[in-house]
Amino acid sequence: GSTAVLKLTNGNIHRSDATEGSYQKIDFDEYRIFLKMDAPTGTPGSKPKMLTGPEILREIGRTARIDAHQNLVLQSELWRRLAVAFAPFCFVLLGIGSGTLPTRSVRSGAALIAFGVLLVYYGLLSWGGSLAETGTLPAWLALQGGNLVTALWGVWSFRLASRH
């Protein structure tokens, strides 16, 4: 491992002990905290967000028969990355379709709609992630749900705009 030093200046430390009913305040000009960092002990499969794409694919192949839950988590991470990478195309489709609709609303209404769309997308992505990690739905289907809804909404807005 290694050591890091956190240097604090012009501050104070507050301590209280509920069992004794005491309170202590310590003022300082300079306070150094030495932080010891141990070498990482976890396995690469324990933190899928830290793995690269090829490493995730390798771990999916390795855990396919060994650990079903870890395999679902790894597949979810892979498909979450693909869903997030594909999301801008769906948002562009929705934005162009919605932007061509004739409206009388002000720009603040558009910002509120954009916030709502992002909130719905994030909710669908989170829900899909939990469905994929529990094995309720296949990861590719569960995590592409937000993109599917956004793309269908974009196609619908294109068709609506073409009628006007």
Side-chain angles (χ1 to χ4, degrees), residues 9 40 47 60 65-66 77 94 98 119 123 139 149 162:
T9 57
K47 298 176 185 170
I60 287 173
R65 293 190 179 113
I66 301 170
E77 179 62 27
L94 176 61
S98 298
L119 191 63
V149 168
S162 67

Side-chain angles (χ1 to χ4, degrees), residues 28-69:
F28 59 84
D29 293 326
E30 180 178 294
Y31 189 71
R32 293 178 188 217
I33 301 173
F34 294 89
L35 305 169
K36 185 175 190 253
M37 291 182 249
D38 296 329
T41 58
T43 62
S46 64
K47 298 176 185 170
K49 291 184 180 186
M50 303 300 287
L51 299 175
T52 64
E55 289 172 338
I56 288 179
L57 291 172
R58 189 172 36 253
E59 286 295 311
I60 287 173
R62 187 184 68 77
T63 61
R65 293 190 179 113
I66 301 170
D67 188 356
H69 176 69

Side-chain angles (χ1 to χ4, degrees), residues 98-99 103 105-117:
S98 298
T103 62
S105 65
V106 294
R107 292 194 185 269
S108 61
L112 186 60
I113 290 170
F115 179 71
V117 167

Side-chain angles (χ1 to χ4, degrees), residues 91-101 153-155 157-161:
F91 286 133
V92 165
L93 183 66
L94 176 61
I96 292 172
S98 298
T100 56
L101 286 172
W153 192 357
V155 169
S157 64
F158 260 117
R159 295 190 75 193
L160 191 62

